Amino acid sequence: MSSVVRNIVLVHGAFADGSSWSKVIPLLQELGYTAVAVQNPMTSLADEVAFTKRIIALQDGPVILVGHSWGGAVITQAGDDSKVAALVYVTAYAPEVGQSANDASSPFGWTEGQKRISVDGEKFATLTAEGMLEYIAVGLPMKERELALAVQGQSYGPMFDEKLTVAAWKTKPTWAVISTKDQMLPPAMQESAANKMSAITTVLSTCHMSILEEPAKIVAVIDDAAKNALTK
């Protein structure tokens, strides 16, 4: 029996959808993996976790669960699923039990990207055009930045204050990617979280959208997790 985990479940961040994994998925498929992006609704932590667990349930064996940005909070809560063999945090939140995503980030100060979030009367948050083009996706060619802006979804603001009741990284093998040029999530937060989780860590000189800026390097991390999760 192969010791390689073949199923990869990818959880996108806020102000994005599954298309943010559009460069990562083909590379994973070329390596023989089954890669599936969760299309999360961005309405509550509970909804995000439920959507993610339904996709995990559809897989035919162990799963590597990967989260980008806000997706890190989701995999922290959903990752206690028995089918999850390992967690991969990519430029992501990794809250502690009893913390929210905002709790995890706030000690490190507001980033330029976070300052460019606007919230409407129904508490749904949207990134300004400047925020997406000049801070979040700044490492990408302009056409790709404009596409990221065009497909961004609204995110329900209060979900970033929802407290987690599970921290799956306490019990699952964990990998982490830190993006040193991130202007959305503080790089210092990412580094602190990786240390806290005792994660196998990769540091990249990328913007927040590391999964689009350096997809091959992200895939290398996921591949390492898939090959080694069952031996940890």
Side-chain angles (χ1 to χ4, degrees):
M1 178 186 291
S2 172
S3 62
V4 178
V5 177
R6 287 293 170 194
N7 302 298
I8 315 296
V9 173
L10 305 161
V11 182
H12 64 78
F15 315 112
D17 63 11
S19 68
S20 60
W21 298 104
S22 61
K23 294 182 182 179
V24 167
I25 290 171
L27 297 177
L28 288 170
Q29 291 171 334
E30 287 175 11
L31 294 175
Y33 292 107
T34 299
V36 182
V38 182
Q39 295 285 14
N40 270 330
M42 306 308 301
T43 46
S44 73
L45 178 63
D47 288 345
E48 306 284 293
V49 170
F51 270 58
T52 300
K53 289 200 169 191
R54 284 199 291 270
I55 296 299
I56 293 171
L58 292 175
Q59 308 312 303
D60 63 356
V63 167
I64 303 298
L65 188 57
V66 186
H68 174 250
S69 190
W70 158 256
V74 179
I75 71 170
T76 300
Q77 183 77 17
D80 65 338
D81 189 289
S82 62
K83 291 177 80 169
V84 174
L87 305 169
V88 180
Y89 289 83
V90 182
T91 316
Y93 292 106
E96 177 63 87
V97 171
Q99 275 193 326
S100 67
N102 279 342
D103 290 338
S105 179
S106 60
F108 300 90
W110 287 102
T111 63
E112 291 303 314
Q114 289 169 335
K115 292 174 185 176
R116 286 158 177 83
I117 296 170
S118 61
V119 180
D120 68 15
E122 296 181 358
K123 300 182 180 179
F124 278 88
T126 308
L127 267 173
T128 65
E130 180 192 28
M132 182 65 80
L133 300 177
E134 302 302 328
Y135 295 98
I136 309 311
V138 67
L140 307 178
M142 184 55 73
K143 288 294 184 184
E144 294 183 21
R145 298 187 219 178
E146 290 171 347
L147 179 58
L149 176 62
V151 301
Q152 82 152 311
Q154 288 184 304
S155 301
Y156 188 57
M159 75 181 184
F160 294 96
D161 288 318
E162 290 185 56
K163 311 289 188 183
L164 277 71
T165 59
V166 173
W169 49 261
K170 291 179 180 291
T171 57
K172 302 291 173 91
T174 301
W175 279 253
V177 175
I178 298 168
S179 292
T180 62
K181 294 183 178 178
D182 193 349
Q183 296 186 76
M184 184 62 169
L185 298 190
M189 180 198 75
Q190 299 171 41
E191 181 180 6
S192 175
N195 292 335
K196 171 187 65 181
M197 298 187 293
S198 299
I200 298 168
T201 302
T202 299
V203 179
L204 299 180
S205 179
T206 46
C207 73
H208 185 64
M209 297 308 297
S210 54
I211 56 178
L212 289 169
E213 188 176 358
E214 289 283 6
K217 293 180 179 179
I218 302 303
V219 168
V221 174
I222 298 170
D223 183 50
D224 186 54
K227 289 176 176 173
N228 293 289
L230 298 181
T231 62
K232 292 293 183 184

